[in-house]
C-alpha cells in the first residue's frame, strides 16, 4: 500500500515494502541512515570514542564500556543524593531521545531531572562530540549518548518494556521517495517503540511540518498500539528547553504541533509484536 500525505507534494509517500526492505538491509549497513557501521566502507576512518565518555558506538564498544552501559541501562547507576523516584517499580525512569541534534532539550531535561536516566541517539558524530563534552562538564551521571542509528541499536540493548518516554522531536520529513527509508516514523518503528515502552509509557513527538504531524497521528492510529494523542500529556515537557528547531520556530512565530501517545497497557504485549 502506498500512502500519500495531504501536503501538496506528490513525493511525500510511504511505501511499506521499501521500508521493510531497508530494515532487512540493516546488517549490510545500507538502507538506513546509520545501519551497521562495521559494513560501511568509511567506518575505519571515524574518530574513536574515548573510553571514559558516556558515548558509545555499538560496533566498537569495549567489553568494559558495554558493562558500564548495561549497568546504567538496567538502572544500577546509583544516585549520589536523594531518593530514587518511586512508582510502578521504576526507580530511575529511562527516557530515550532519537535525533537529539544539538542536544538542548536532552541536556536541559537531564540536568533538571537527576532522578531520571537519559539515552540519546544522534547519527551526526560532531553533534555527539559536542553534547558529550557539555554533559561531562556538568558532572551529571544520568546521560549516555550514541551515534548509532537508533533503529539499528535500540533492539540490541535489551530494553523491552523498560523505557518510560521516547522523544522524537522535529524529525526530518524526508519528502522525496528515494529518501523515505530515512524517515523515522514507520509502522516497524512504532512496533519498536511499543516494545521498548513500559505499559502506559509515552511517545512524545513534535513537528513544525503540519503534513508530517498529521501523518504521525494517522500512522499511530493505524498501528493501534497507542491511545490517541493527548497534547496535555506533553505539557509536562513545557518547562524543558526547546530544541534548536523549536527555538527557531518560536523566533519566527512558525507553528508547531505537539503529540503525546500513551502505549496501551495490554496483557501479553501488542498484537503486532506477537508476529515478530
Ligand atoms: C531535523 S533534525 C532535528 C534535531 C533536533 N531534534 C531539533 O529539533 O533541533 C533531526 C535529527 O535527527 C537525526 N536522526 C535522524 N534519524 C535518526 C536515527 N534513526 N537515529 C539517530 N538520529 C537520527 C538527524 O541526524 C538530525 O540531526
Amino acid at each position: 500500500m502506498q500512502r500519500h500525505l495531504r501536503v501538496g507534494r506528490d513525493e511525500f509517500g510511504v511505501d511499506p515494502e521499501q521500508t521493510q526492505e531497508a530494515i532487512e538491509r540493516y546488517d549490510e549497513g545500507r538502507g538506513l541512515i546509520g545501519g551497521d557501521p562495521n559494513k560501511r566502507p568509511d567506518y575505519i576512518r571515524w574518530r574513536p570514542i574515548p573510553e571514559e565518555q558516556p558515548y558509545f558506538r555499538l560496533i566498537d564498544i569495549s567489553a568494559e564500556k558495554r558493562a558500564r552501559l548495561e549497568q546504567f541501562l538496567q538502572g544500577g547507576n546509583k544516585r549520589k543524593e536523594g531518593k530514587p523516584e518511586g512508582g510502578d517499580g521504576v526507580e530511575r525512569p529511562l527516557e530515550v531521545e532519537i535525533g537529539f541534534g544539538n542536544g538542548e532539550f536532552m541536556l536541559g531535561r537531564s540536568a533538571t531531572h537527576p532522578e531520571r536516566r537519559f539515552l540519546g541517539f544522534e547519527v551526526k558524530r560532531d553533534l555527539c562530540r559536542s553534547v558529550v563534552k557539555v554533559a561531562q562538564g556538568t558532572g551529571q551521571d544520568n546521560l549516555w549518548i550514541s551515534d548509532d542509528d537508533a533503529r539499528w541499536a535500540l533492539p540490541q540493548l535489551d530494553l523491552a518494556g523498560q523505557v518510560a518516554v521516547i522523544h522524537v522531536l522535529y524529525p526530518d520529513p524526508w519528502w522525496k521517495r528515494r529518501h523515505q527509508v530515512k524517515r523515522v516514523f514507520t509502522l516497524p518503528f512504532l512496533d519498536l517503540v511499543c516494545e521498548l515502552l513500559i505499559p502506559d509509557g509515552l511517545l512524545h513527538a513534535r513537528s513544525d511540518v503540519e503534513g508530517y504531524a498529521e501523518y504521525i497521528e494517522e500512522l499511530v492510529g493505524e498501528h493501534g498500539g497507542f491511545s490517541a494523542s493527548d497534547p496535555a500529556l506533553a505539557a509536562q515537557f513545557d518547562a524543558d528547553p526547546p530544541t534548536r528547531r523549536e527555538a527557531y520556530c518560536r523566533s519566527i512565530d512558525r507553528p508547531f504541533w505537539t503529540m503525546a501517545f500513551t502505549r496501551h497497557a495490554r496483557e501479553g504485549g501488542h498484537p503486532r509484536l506477537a508476529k515478530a
Side-chain angles (χ1 to χ4, degrees), residues 78-267:
K78 295 266 182 300
R79 291 188 63 195
K80 287 184 184 124
E81 313 167 9
K83 292 185 185 155
E85 197 169 290
D88 296 336
V90 180
E91 292 209 326
R92 298 184 71 203
L94 177 64
E95 299 191 16
V96 170
E97 183 171 4
I98 297 176
F100 57 72
N102 294 79
E104 290 90 345
F105 173 84
M106 187 182 62
L107 285 166
R109 186 162 168 75
S110 59
T112 51
H113 290 278
E115 78 289 1
R116 296 189 154 242
R117 294 167 295 139
F118 294 83
L119 174 62
F121 289 90
E122 172 51 65
V123 289
K124 291 180 182 149
R125 298 184 291 282
D126 53 339
L127 297 181
C128 286
R129 281 193 288 271
S130 64
V131 163
V132 79
K133 264 190 206 148
V134 177
Q136 283 194 302
T138 62
Q140 60 193 86
D141 66 352
N142 62 340
L143 171 65
W144 276 72
I145 64 165
S146 171
D147 62 27
D148 285 321
D149 184 323
R151 296 169 294 180
W152 176 77
L154 276 167
Q156 304 179 50
L157 292 175
D158 201 17
L159 288 177
Q162 310 245 11
V163 182
V165 189
I166 296 183
H167 306 275
V168 189
L169 305 178
Y170 302 91
D172 290 292
W174 295 111
W175 308 101
K176 295 192 176 157
R177 186 177 155 74
R178 69 175 183 277
H179 291 151
Q180 74 176 238
V181 292
K182 298 182 178 189
R183 202 180 294 150
V184 170
F185 277 95
T186 60
L187 289 172
F189 174 71
L190 293 177
D191 277 349
L192 174 63
V193 170
C194 242
E195 188 181 353
L196 297 174
L197 285 177
I198 56 173
D200 295 324
L202 207 63
L203 169 61
H204 170 215
R206 296 187 180 208
S207 181
D208 59 314
V209 179
E210 187 173 8
Y212 195 33
E214 282 177 12
Y215 158 74
I216 292 172
E217 295 221 26
E218 266 181 37
L219 195 75
V220 174
E222 181 181 328
H223 180 270
F226 302 82
S227 304
S229 174
D230 178 358
L233 283 176
Q236 64 189 288
F237 308 113
D238 285 353
D240 298 310
T243 66
R244 181 153 302 190
R245 179 71 194 172
E246 184 168 317
Y248 166 73
C249 293
R250 288 176 185 270
S251 73
I252 60 164
D253 279 336
R254 182 179 162 91
F256 55 86
W257 288 265
T258 297
M259 293 152 275
F261 307 95
T262 308
R263 182 206 198 284
H264 286 314
R266 289 209 184 113
E267 284 283 314

